[in-house]
Amino acid sequence: DVGYGCHDPLHYVPDSISYFHTIRVAVHFMDAESGDKNFSKTAGKKYMRQLIADANKKLLNNKKMNLPVGNDTPNLNPKFRYQITPYTEDPTDDGFYWHYDDDLFAFIHKGRYRNNYKKDVIRKYALKQDSIINIFILPHHPDSVLTTTYKPKITGIALGTSLKMSGLYENPNKPWLASTLLNHEVAHILGLNHSWISNDGCDDTPPNDNCWETTGVSPCDGIISNNLMDYNNQQSAITPCQLGKIHRGFAMQYYKSRKLVEPVWCEPDLKNPIIIKEDVQWYGARDINRNILIEENASLILTCRVSMAKDTRITIRTGGKLVLFNVELHNACGDEWLGIFKEKRGGKEAAVEVYGASSISDVRKSLE
């Protein structure tokens, strides 16, 4: 992954050849041993399927940023979604799990027995945390709800590659209320910080007063943020830089989020080549599952790791050029690709220029 600008999130902003990534999730319902403190299996599955569908819809309908006022920040397709994924190949395993545990079934977000930050339920019941996001649905503790100072609000927290959500059972007919919460917490898992502060790593998420809604009273008397990572009543906008941070995680081999998505880059698409018709430079790390054709008088400059799927190749027409700057050109899936083919015509041939600590590996056919 190392090379010029390989860590810059702006080099990973989704473009026309970026994949639409599928993030695996599994859903756990925590209940008391009596079995009456959370959704029934039928109701729980219906609720979470609707919630996840709405969360995916909100991602797809990424809104334009409200701030700064008068901004021209693009609202791009985030190019990722969630899919409920079973742990096993068992045909009866549908990715939903129920656990009955009097000690761990409840969520408490305030007070002496506060447990929202505790990972005990995750340590006991989460599986495949390196490849699946485990979503735990917990009711607020019945004893806490009986007090006048405790509000059973919709809330959640991301812990590692798992997350806990509560308040859903208390709002059984409104699954959409928690869909932005799911997107917010998953975004934490994918590498995003809260954006109302000044050090979230993105210049297109301006610091703000983190107003939940417009109140008519300063500082919440004007236009407020609608960014997903602020605490507001919309949480509907994700900026290019934020998307770049997320997709950098999908592209960097040592990032935890890479293993949470389906490796679509491993399956070759040999019918739709990437055609380079002019001078092009790819800055970020890439996983390519298509043939690359560099046309005459065009060039492709690579500056970070590039994986080529099995049975794919890079073809350079006469007068075309491929340039490698500190690039690892390989296959990231344990397979072999076909290598680089240079066209020769009229006494001329295509060019390959290699600089720095570049390497070419996992090739079934030697460089020609």
Side-chain angles (χ1 to χ4, degrees):
D1 299 324
V2 177
Y4 176 73
C6 295
H7 292 273
D8 187 339
L10 295 181
H11 294 160
Y12 295 89
V13 176
D15 59 20
S16 61
I17 63 171
S18 298
Y19 297 107
F20 201 109
H21 288 284
T22 297
I23 299 172
R24 309 181 196 93
V25 300
V27 182
H28 302 257
F29 288 89
M30 298 302 302
D31 203 342
E33 292 173 19
S34 59
D36 59 355
K37 301 297 188 293
N38 208 337
F39 291 103
S40 69
K41 291 186 176 181
T42 298
K45 290 179 182 181
K46 179 180 179 181
Y47 188 101
M48 285 306 296
R49 286 189 177 116
Q50 290 178 339
L51 190 158
I52 290 172
D54 192 67
N56 283 332
K57 181 179 179 180
K58 285 185 168 113
L59 289 174
L60 190 62
N61 295 329
N62 185 24
K63 301 296 185 182
K64 181 174 173 53
M65 283 280 286
N66 286 347
L67 298 177
V69 175
N71 75 85
D72 58 359
T73 305
N75 51 319
L76 305 176
N77 186 331
K79 288 197 170 184
F80 68 91
R81 68 184 182 101
Y82 318 121
Q83 179 172 294
I84 300 170
T85 305
Y87 288 134
T88 70
E89 299 295 329
D90 186 336
T92 64
D93 186 350
D94 59 4
F96 290 95
Y97 309 96
W98 264 258
H99 311 289
Y100 303 92
D101 189 322
D102 283 345
D103 295 325
L104 298 175
F105 81 93
F107 188 96
I108 306 173
H109 66 85
K110 62 179 292 186
R112 180 188 305 177
Y113 302 106
R114 178 178 178 178
N115 67 0
N116 51 341
Y117 286 95
K118 292 186 177 180
K119 298 182 179 179
D120 298 18
V121 68
I122 294 170
R123 293 190 187 100
K124 186 170 183 179
Y125 293 110
L127 296 173
K128 293 189 175 181
Q129 295 182 70
D130 62 336
S131 58
I132 297 177
I133 293 179
N134 289 256
I135 303 171
F136 285 85
I137 309 303
L138 305 93
H140 287 280
H141 199 289
D143 293 342
S144 298
V145 174
L146 291 175
T147 68
T148 57
T149 58
Y150 188 96
K151 295 183 179 180
K153 62 180 182 179
I154 292 177
T155 185
I157 187 169
L159 299 165
T161 56
S162 297
L163 63 93
K164 296 158 68 173
M165 299 178 70
S166 190
L168 283 61
Y169 178 62
E170 292 78 8
N171 292 274
N173 300 315
K174 301 177 180 179
W176 62 89
L177 285 179
S179 57
T180 53
L181 172 65
L182 177 64
N183 287 340
H184 178 98
E185 299 304 337
V186 170
H188 276 312
I189 293 172
L190 300 181
L192 297 192
N193 301 318
H194 289 138
S195 59
W196 70 84
I197 53 180
S198 60
N199 61 345
D200 75 330
C202 286
D203 292 336
D204 55 11
T205 55
N208 62 83
D209 292 300
N210 197 31
C211 298
W212 176 256
E213 60 187 355
T214 301
T215 63
V217 179
S218 181
C220 303
D221 54 344
I223 296 175
I224 66 169
S225 174
N226 64 339
N227 190 266
L228 176 64
M229 301 313 292
D230 292 330
Y231 290 149
N232 59 75
N233 63 3
Q234 298 180 55
Q235 293 183 309
S236 57
I238 315 175
T239 70
C241 176
Q242 289 176 314
L243 291 174
K245 291 180 73 173
I246 289 173
H247 281 264
R248 178 181 63 185
F250 298 152
M252 288 291 198
Q253 289 185 294
Y254 57 88
Y255 273 44
K256 66 180 181 181
S257 50
R258 180 176 173 86
K259 294 183 179 180
L260 298 173
V261 299
E262 292 290 340
V264 290
W265 53 84
C266 290
E267 293 303 318
D269 174 8
L270 303 180
K271 296 182 179 180
N272 299 289
I274 297 172
I275 301 176
I276 307 298
K277 298 181 178 181
E278 56 188 1
D279 295 335
V280 174
Q281 183 164 351
W282 291 349
Y283 289 98
R286 296 266 186 172
D287 296 280
I288 304 298
N289 71 341
R290 298 151 65 185
N291 291 320
I292 297 175
L293 173 62
I294 303 173
E295 295 279 22
E296 183 178 0
N297 298 322
S299 67
L300 175 61
I301 302 174
L302 306 180
T303 56
C304 298
R305 180 191 67 81
V306 175
S307 171
M308 298 293 297
K310 63 181 178 181
D311 300 328
T312 63
R313 65 178 68 194
I314 299 175
T315 301
I316 313 169
R317 299 287 192 211
T318 301
K321 182 168 61 176
L322 175 67
V323 182
L324 309 180
F325 280 100
N326 295 312
V327 173
E328 179 188 8
L329 188 55
H330 73 132
N331 174 276
C333 308
D335 297 312
E336 293 180 326
W337 63 295
L338 299 183
I340 302 171
F341 292 79
K342 299 189 295 182
E343 184 183 75
K344 299 178 181 179
R345 179 164 47 85
K348 299 179 180 180
E349 67 177 70
V352 177
E353 297 179 4
V354 181
Y355 301 96
S358 295
S359 65
I360 302 172
S361 60
D362 307 319
V363 178
R364 187 181 308 159
K365 190 171 185 178
S366 300
L367 184 67
E368 294 185 356

